[in-house]
Amino acid sequence: MSEYEHTCMIRGDGGRAIRTILDRICNKWTLLIVATLDQGSLRFTDLHQQTPGISQRMLTLTLRNLERDGLVSRTVHAEVPPRVEYALTSTGKSLIAPALALAGWAIEHVSDIEASREAYQTRH
Amino acid sequence: MSEYEHTCMIRGDGGRAIRTILDRICNKWTLLIVATLDQGSLRFTDLHQQTPGISQRMLTLTLRNLERDGLVSRTVHAEVPPRVEYALTSTGKSLIAPALALAGWAIEHVSDIEASREAYQTRH
DNA sequence: CAGCATCCGGAGCGATACTG
DNA sequence: CAGTATCGCTCCGGATGCTG
């Protein structure tokens, strides 16, 4: 089987499956949060501190979406002050591998891409 | 080396490298166009017909961005009527592999994610 | 054939202030 | 500590119409 026949996985149903996950991970913070939680369970404030630049609002929204999709578990401990632990589910952990594949590609080609952008800039 | 230490590839520079590529592929059409071009060189109209639902405007914008980033080449043939061929560059082709990894994950887990969404819905 | 110009609605995201 | 509420900006993307 030739290489391009595999790409039916992407085009498959008009891209519905790949869209579902892209809509989840392609926002500004999701992959960063998932990668951070790969260390293990963390509290809201820990995540906030380990994610430079994120607002409380966006951290909350990102975690809610991940919880809703079953990629992150949210555990509330009945204590005062409250303690909430976030952790990757098994589904969430399984996302790490393909995410790393993409990150590897990004690191390998980011300089080429940026060079191409500058060259394009000067041509137009 | 434990698994989670690899995730520095994602968190690395605060996520700049991964952001560069996510900003490119995470829009609605880019991955679909790249997967379609994996068949080989195609004209504007061919791409338009093989990508159900896309508008001329979005096809143009998507192709311009891919060309700008050096993932797609654009060849204008001096004929009447005009003929323009789009093809993946070697950099563009190298994106197929990690994209397939992500698509595979998406296909494998899309039903779990949708089930989790419905369960979350009924809980809230 | 292969596009560009224009208008417009909605979503993403940041800043800020408030709370059980 | 772990959020919620509100405001406002920007950009994506769809619809439509025009052109070398």
Side-chain angles (χ1 to χ4, degrees), chain B residues 89-108:
Chain B
T89 64
S90 60
T91 306
K93 283 177 189 163
S94 71
L95 176 57
I96 296 285
L100 283 176
L102 204 61
W105 188 92
I107 290 168
E108 198 171 343

Side-chain angles (χ1 to χ4, degrees), chain A residues 3-11 14-29 31-32 34-36 38-40 50-52 64 67-71 90-107 109-110 112-114 116-118 120-121 123-124, chain B residues 3-11 14-29 31-32 34-36 38-40 50-52 64 67-71 90-107 109-110 112-114 116-118 120-121 123-124:
Chain A
E3 162 79 17
Y4 76 77
E5 294 179 31
H6 289 95
T7 54
C8 61
M9 285 172 61
I10 297 173
R11 309 218 306 139
R16 202 182 68 65
I18 189 82
R19 275 279 91 225
T20 300
I21 176 58
L22 283 183
D23 287 342
R24 178 60 41 247
I25 70 166
C26 283
N27 60 65
K28 193 168 178 180
W29 301 108
L31 266 193
L32 244 40
V34 169
T36 304
D38 195 41
Q39 303 170 38
Q50 293 193 36
T51 313
R64 284 296 170 279
E67 184 196 1
R68 181 184 124 110
D69 288 0
L71 303 184
S90 58
T91 306
K93 283 178 189 161
S94 71
L95 177 58
I96 297 286
L100 283 176
L102 205 61
W105 188 91
I107 291 169
H109 293 94
V110 66
D112 292 343
I113 290 176
E114 286 176 347
S116 178
R117 282 183 189 173
E118 286 191 32
Y120 188 92
Q121 185 88 359
R123 278 199 309 273
H124 302 78
Chain B
E3 162 79 16
Y4 76 78
E5 291 178 30
H6 288 96
T7 55
C8 60
M9 284 172 63
I10 297 173
R11 309 218 308 140
R16 204 184 66 77
I18 189 81
R19 275 282 89 222
T20 301
I21 175 58
L22 282 184
D23 286 343
R24 177 62 39 248
I25 71 165
C26 284
N27 59 64
K28 193 168 178 180
W29 302 107
L31 265 194
L32 244 40
V34 169
T36 304
D38 194 40
Q39 303 170 38
Q50 292 193 36
T51 313
R64 283 296 168 282
E67 184 196 1
R68 181 184 125 110
D69 287 2
L71 303 184
S90 60
T91 306
K93 283 177 189 163
S94 71
L95 176 57
I96 296 285
L100 283 176
L102 204 61
W105 188 92
I107 290 168
H109 293 93
V110 66
D112 292 344
I113 290 175
E114 287 177 345
S116 178
R117 280 181 190 173
E118 287 192 32
Y120 187 91
Q121 185 87 358
R123 279 200 307 275
H124 301 75

Side-chain angles (χ1 to χ4, degrees), chain B residues 28-46:
Chain B
K28 193 168 178 180
W29 302 107
T30 296
L31 265 194
L32 244 40
I33 298 298
V34 169
T36 304
L37 284 175
D38 194 40
Q39 303 170 38
S41 177
L42 284 174
R43 308 175 61 167
F44 188 89
T45 304
D46 296 332

